[in-house]
Amino acid sequence: MLPSNVGKVGRPFGDHRTVVEGIAYRYRTGIPWRDLPREAFGPWQIVWKRHKKFAGDGTWDRILTQLMAEADAAGQIDWTVSVDSTINRAHQHATNTRRPEQDTGGDVESQAALRRRRPQ
């Protein structure tokens, strides 16, 4: 399911297995790309570039679609959906959105205007 070197110009792909194992290792451990063990997976740049290429050209999507179709045909996927009624609320200041002034419940005043109104 992975792209081949046939008809490609330039440097041929190395071993796909080593690169895919490097990508899986990186996601499993949560380490940065630069910390991939060179002895096991080769230069991290190769692993990262191949992952980026496969993500950009849809290779990972095709692989997932094919594997799911095969597993579904073999009856290995349970399509039962579980819905949870848990509600998570965010604080009003947790968003980057601004509320319209009419929703603030009053006029917006600056602190300088409040200081001028105070009796001396």
Side-chain angles (χ1 to χ4, degrees):
M1 289 186 260
L2 294 171
S4 70
N5 292 320
V6 177
K8 302 283 184 184
V9 177
R11 186 178 184 132
F13 285 138
D15 181 27
H16 280 311
R17 182 180 193 88
T18 304
V19 172
V20 171
E21 286 179 1
I23 293 167
Y25 179 84
R26 189 259 178 186
Y27 278 106
R28 188 173 59 248
T29 59
I31 61 173
W33 287 107
R34 291 178 184 262
D35 291 344
L36 275 175
R38 186 180 189 100
E39 308 80 40
F41 308 113
W44 69 268
Q45 296 93 335
I46 291 174
V47 179
W48 176 79
K49 285 179 187 177
R50 191 92 51 91
H51 172 63
K52 182 176 168 140
K53 178 180 178 17
F54 289 170
D57 67 6
T59 299
W60 294 130
D61 294 332
R62 286 191 303 277
I63 291 172
L64 178 63
T65 302
Q66 179 69 30
L67 291 175
M68 286 184 64
E70 290 175 10
D72 190 31
Q76 297 174 338
I77 296 180
D78 181 15
W79 292 102
T80 304
V81 176
S82 176
V83 178
D84 187 0
S85 64
T86 303
I87 297 174
N88 292 319
R89 296 182 187 262
H91 190 271
Q92 65 182 359
H93 298 118
T95 65
N96 284 337
T97 59
R98 296 180 62 104
R99 295 189 315 176
E101 287 190 27
Q102 64 268 21
D103 288 346
T104 60
D107 294 332
V108 177
E109 296 180 335
S110 69
Q111 295 298 321
L114 290 175
R115 282 192 291 271
R116 284 190 296 248
R117 285 195 208 156
R118 288 185 186 153
Q120 300 295 350

